[in-house]
Amino acid sequence: MSIMNAKNKIRFLPAITAAALVFLAASGWTSLAHAQADSTPLPRLATQDGRHALIVDGDPFLILGAQCHNSSAWPAMLPKVWPAIESLHANTLEIPVYWEQFEPDPGRYDTSIVDTIIQQAREHDVRIVLLWFGTWKNGSSHYLPLWLKKQPEQCPRIIGKDGRRVDSPSPHSAASLEADRRAFCALLRHLKANDPVHTVIMIQVENEPGSWNTIRDYSPEAQKLFTAAVPAALLKAMGRNAPVSGTWPEVFGANADEYFHAWSVARYIEQVAAAGKAENPLPIYVNVALRDPLTPGPAGTYESGGATDNVLWIWKAASPSIDLLAPDIYQSDSARYLKVLELYSRPDNALFVPETMGTPEQARMCFAALGHGAIGWSPFGLDYSIAAPQPPGAPQRTDGWLAPIALNYEILRPIMREIARLNFEGKLQTVVEQPGELTQTMDFGNWQAVVTYGVSWNSPARGNPEPVGRALVAKTGENEFLVTGAFCRVDFKAASGGQRDFVRVEEGGYEKGVFRPMRIWNGDETDWGLDFRSTPQALRVLLGTY
Ligand code: DGJ
């Protein structure tokens, strides 16, 4: 029986008899049967002891993602997307579904492009995160279907403090909420019926919702709500210090405008998400245009209404159907980047970075995100529709543009299941190089992992010319570690004070959860420490002391 035939047969597992299962077990097909049987559960977010995992096909999964450009989700553009995904070794593509394309006429849904994306993703062995460009896209409503754009009274723009319209949709319009909810439900219903193997693993609802150029809506409807009582659910979320009741200005004073808009936008999107989930409960998230995490400045200087760090609590109270709030990190300095990772990784919020920059320096931040327990990380704009076109027929990765991210994914993709699991179990730590910091330490109790940058042989550490170093260490046993990284040296120190002995260092990878060594490192490869450069390598390290 060929593998193909076996797979096709096993697809009908629910119908096969217990006797057939016994036969499969006896003939060594159990693991395949297991994999196939497990491939049908719905992706879900799991939380345990304040840590999170995205469960895909029954096991923790790590999104090693890339988001295409905004206008790349068209069949004519996909040939410019897949080569980049292949070069990157990404396991997930984030790609939009445009409301204007999906619902060309009221109630008529064109699923052809979604179907094409899903089919091509399967051919490329890649999972999909669909981005619903619905009512909001970067604070505006430019993706409304044409027939809705022609009825502005149905989907009105909000009104600024000066009485002028602002290019941002009103979160108070029942008609636009209803239209968005209906279309989003149609999308999720379609996925339920047509994606039984869950190529689509997660959905982003809207895109960077909120408003630029105004803190809130000042329309008459909004004014009425603003001067009415703050909803009880929000008062409850304030905890013991909450007043019994009050209007928005009474309860929140100077923050009232901002908090009111956050609540209004979050409630609207909650209703879209909840309805979609009732059709098909895939994990759903909302991405965030951030405020500066260290020196935010006053409301009005950043997008208002989205889940910025100061209103995460409002979003959590308003939108229980949204699994997580995900920061789009375009901060270029590392202190700010790391602060965002800290702010969005919480016991009540799994960290997922759905957009970030793909520069060489930012590449290391993938490891920093993993150190905060991230379920995924995904730079924006990684396709060949605009930048760095790859000439037809050219070998992959000739331009170097994608190489820094590709290196991450070449390192992590073969071990992504283990990384996701070890992170969920709280056994994994990472460090990333900071300018001027030559050594960093990770504490694992009986062992410390010590990482240095810019070393070779027995020369002293100098740091890399650019801060590109990154290391990941996970404790897999009392004296055993999984170690990987790039542009760094990893060594260990025993807490007992004994001298570190590399008892055995194996380079290899995992097959069905079991580490399979391909060679043993010794001699020059271990005498000075464990050196990682730009070759993807994973090590199983057994330590002792003498
Ligand atoms: C953030 C948005 O979410 C993306 O869709 C895209 O517009 C990027 N900014 C950068 O252009």
Side-chain angles (χ1 to χ4, degrees), residues 62-177:
L62 175 62
I63 293 179
L64 303 170
Q67 185 168 148
C68 64
H69 282 289
N70 285 169
S71 305
S72 294
W74 294 95
M77 300 308 294
L78 291 176
K80 297 196 183 288
V81 173
W82 294 117
I85 299 301
E86 276 169 25
S87 298
L88 285 162
H89 302 265
N91 65 12
T92 305
L93 168 65
E94 296 177 357
I95 186 163
V97 178
Y98 315 117
W99 189 2
E100 62 181 347
Q101 177 280 320
F102 185 72
E103 193 181 3
D105 300 304
R108 182 170 75 78
Y109 302 107
D110 176 356
T111 58
S112 60
I113 296 186
V114 172
D115 292 340
T116 301
I117 290 168
I118 291 176
Q119 184 208 322
Q120 294 189 8
R122 289 183 191 149
E123 287 159 12
H124 287 86
D125 192 19
V126 160
R127 306 307 269 253
I128 293 289
V129 171
L130 286 179
L131 318 173
W132 173 243
F133 284 9
T135 303
W136 280 272
K137 165 68 176 79
N138 294 21
S140 298
S141 49
H142 298 171
Y143 284 84
L144 292 189
L146 194 56
W147 54 270
L148 262 179
K149 282 183 181 163
K150 286 181 179 164
Q151 310 173 61
E153 68 293 346
Q154 295 287 304
C155 296
R157 288 182 163 90
I158 62 177
I159 297 188
K161 208 169 190 174
D162 59 3
R164 288 162 60 92
R165 289 215 174 273
V166 176
D167 186 14
S168 188
S170 164
H172 308 294
S173 161
S176 64
L177 168 59

Side-chain angles (χ1 to χ4, degrees), residues 67 70 133 137-138 207-208 287 328 330 355 380:
Q67 185 168 148
N70 285 169
F133 284 9
K137 165 68 176 79
N138 294 21
N207 191 89
E208 293 194 348
N287 65 330
D328 289 349
Y330 288 92
E355 289 184 37
F380 175 83

Side-chain angles (χ1 to χ4, degrees), residues 476-518:
T476 50
E478 185 57 10
N479 296 303
E480 192 188 286
F481 293 86
L482 170 67
V483 185
T484 190
F487 309 110
C488 68
R489 170 175 291 173
V490 181
D491 206 336
F492 289 85
K493 241 191 213 166
S496 65
Q499 298 193 63
R500 180 272 295 147
D501 195 13
F502 283 128
V503 177
R504 190 154 166 124
V505 177
E506 297 163 333
E507 179 185 342
Y510 285 85
E511 251 175 57
K512 296 189 180 108
V514 178
F515 189 85
R516 304 272 182 223
M518 134 195 148

